[in-house]
Amino acid sequence: MRFLLTEEQRDFARTLDALLGAADTATAVRAWAAGEHKPGRDLWARLAETGVFALAVPEEHEGLGPLPLELAVAFTELGRHAVPGPLVETAAAAVFLHRLGDVEAAATWLPRIAAGEAVVGLCADGAPFALDADAADTVLVVRCDTVCRTETHGPVQPALDPARRLSRPLGGTVLARGPAVTAAAGHATDLARLLTAAQALGVGRALLAGTVDYVRQRTQFGRAIGSFQAVKHRLADALIGLEFAQPLVHAAALALAADAPSAGAEAAAAKVAAGEAGYAAARAALQLHGAVGYTDEPDLSLWIRKARPLRDAWGTPAECRARVLAG
C-alpha cells in the first residue's frame, strides 16, 4: 500500500513551517530554558490560531479532532523548529480527559486547550517527573488506576536539554479512580508516543538539513568536506533512517485514528524508529560540525540536545520494543 499526505495536509505543514521559520524559535527556546515562559506562550498562542491544539480536542469541546495524522504532521514541524514546552503532554492530556469521561473536567480544560490558553502537563507511564510543570496551568498525574490534578511541584531538575524542565509533581486532588483511568491513560500514552516520534522526526530532519548546508561550506585541504566519501555515507545513513521512520509514524497515526487493536504496538514501533533516527542525525551533526558542535553558543546545540531526551521520552527504545513484541 502506498500512502501519501493530502494536499491539504501538506499545505498545513507548509503553513506551520513558514510561521515558525519567521518566529525566531531559538530565542523562545533559550528563554524557556531560563524559566522565562512568555515568548514560548506567545508562540503557543500563534500556533493555536492555526488549529494545532484543536486537533487533539473533540468537536463537542470546540476542537477539530482528535485527528492523529494531522497532529503527527503538525508535531513534525514543531520538532523541526524546536518549539519549547509540554506540547506532547498537552495533546495527550486532551485525549486523556476526553476518554476519562469526567464531564466537568473535560468542559473546564478541553476548550482552553483547543484555544491555546491552557498548558497542561501529563505525568503517566510510570514517570516520576513531569515535563515543564513550572510552566503548566495544571498537571495530571496518573498512578496505577488513580489520576490527580495538581499545580504544585518540586524544584526543577537539571536535564540534558535545558528547555525540557523536569520536576516532581506534589500533592494534588483526586479526579477519578478505576478502570476508566487505566484505559484513558493507555490511549494517552499511545498518542504521546506517536507525537514524540513525530517531534523526533522533525528534529532529525532539521539537524540533517543544517549539517548538509554546513558541510557544503566548510572546507578542508581546499575542498568542501561534503565532497568526502565518508561524510556522504554518514549523511546518507542519517537520511535513510529518517525516511524509513516517516511511514511508520504515519501508519501509527492511521491506526490510532481507526482505534485499531494494533495502534499501541504501531505507536511504539514508530517511537523506536523515529527516536533512533533523530538521535543518529544528532550524532552525525555533532561529529560533522567538529568543535563547533560541542559548544552552546550556536543554535545547533538547541536541536542536538533534544534528540536523546526525545528518544527516551514516553518509553525508552527497550520499553517500546517490548510493547511491539507484546502487541
Side-chain angles (χ1 to χ4, degrees), residues 71-140:
L71 279 167
V73 170
F75 273 70
T76 300
E77 297 305 317
L78 300 183
R80 190 194 302 272
H81 292 277
V83 177
L87 297 153
V88 168
E89 288 69 21
T90 297
V95 168
F96 175 82
L97 289 170
H98 174 54
R99 294 270 186 167
L100 185 62
D102 187 322
V103 176
E104 182 179 353
T108 299
W109 292 102
L110 291 182
R112 294 183 61 196
I113 290 174
E117 297 170 356
V119 174
V120 181
L122 179 64
C123 187
D125 201 30
F129 295 99
L131 176 66
D132 296 318
D134 60 321
D137 297 291
T138 194
V139 178
L140 303 177

Side-chain angles (χ1 to χ4, degrees), residues 32-202:
W32 195 277
E36 173 53 53
H37 302 126
K38 187 179 184 307
R41 293 292 293 256
D42 290 345
L43 190 56
W44 276 51
R46 295 183 64 186
L47 289 170
E49 293 175 357
T50 70
V52 168
F53 302 109
L55 295 171
V57 176
E59 293 182 7
E60 61 263 35
H61 292 290
E62 302 178 27
L64 301 171
L67 297 172
L69 182 55
E70 283 72 13
L71 279 167
V73 170
F75 273 70
T76 300
E77 297 305 317
L78 300 183
R80 190 194 302 272
H81 292 277
V83 177
L87 297 153
V88 168
E89 288 69 21
T90 297
V95 168
F96 175 82
L97 289 170
H98 174 54
R99 294 270 186 167
L100 185 62
D102 187 322
V103 176
E104 182 179 353
T108 299
W109 292 102
L110 291 182
R112 294 183 61 196
I113 290 174
E117 297 170 356
V119 174
V120 181
L122 179 64
C123 187
D125 201 30
F129 295 99
L131 176 66
D132 296 318
D134 60 321
D137 297 291
T138 194
V139 178
L140 303 177
V141 183
V142 180
R143 292 192 176 94
C144 298
D145 66 345
T146 302
V147 57
C148 298
R149 184 173 68 82
T150 182
E151 285 83 40
T152 308
H153 61 87
V156 175
Q157 304 295 316
L160 178 61
D161 178 4
R164 290 177 64 86
R165 297 167 61 83
L166 303 174
S167 57
R168 193 182 298 275
L170 303 174
T173 303
V174 174
L175 290 182
R177 288 189 175 95
V181 173
T182 305
H187 286 291
T189 297
D190 292 341
L191 182 71
R193 286 177 174 172
L194 168 69
L195 300 186
T196 302
Q199 272 192 315
L201 186 63

Side-chain angles (χ1 to χ4, degrees), residues 195 249 270 301 323 327:
L195 300 186
V249 171
S301 66
R323 177 66 182 89

Side-chain angles (χ1 to χ4, degrees), residues 228-282:
F228 300 154
Q229 198 70 11
V231 173
K232 291 180 180 180
H233 285 176
R234 189 68 187 273
L235 293 172
D237 288 343
L239 175 61
I240 289 170
L242 294 167
E243 288 296 312
F244 271 82
Q246 181 169 303
L248 290 179
V249 171
H250 290 164
L254 291 173
L256 283 170
D259 214 3
S262 64
E266 295 203 43
K271 173 70 170 47
V272 171
E276 296 285 20
Y279 183 46

